Amino acid sequence: MWLNLELVKKDKHCLEYVVVHEIVHLLERHHGDRLVALMNKFLPNWKFYKDELNRSPLGSY
């Protein structure tokens, strides 16, 4: 798993969202209903954190 170092500039919940999302990909490869269900199970507010992260994109390396 690779994480963009710019994540340290974001709220810790954004980092948590990215880590949980990547770990869930170990259980479900695709971005379908099963991935959404797993995200809801492990991080119920994930959509809010995703939106927060997407409102201010990360810088590039």
Side-chain angles (χ1 to χ4, degrees):
M1 178 184 331
W2 294 91
L3 299 175
N4 187 324
L5 296 177
E6 292 289 316
L7 283 168
V8 299
K9 297 177 183 176
K10 304 296 180 185
D11 186 276
K12 67 179 182 177
H13 296 293
C14 292
L15 175 58
E16 181 181 22
Y17 157 72
V18 172
V19 170
V20 171
H21 178 96
E22 294 305 321
I23 291 172
V24 165
H25 272 302
L26 296 173
L27 302 171
E28 175 54 48
R29 183 176 175 187
H30 303 287
H31 288 108
D33 293 340
R34 182 163 185 249
L35 184 128
V36 169
L38 289 167
M39 289 297 294
N40 288 335
K41 177 180 179 180
F42 296 119
L43 190 65
N45 292 328
W46 71 272
K47 291 179 185 179
F48 173 79
Y49 305 136
K50 178 182 176 184
D51 290 343
E52 181 179 338
L53 185 61
N54 288 334
R55 277 194 296 276
S56 56
L58 298 172
S60 60
Y61 286 102

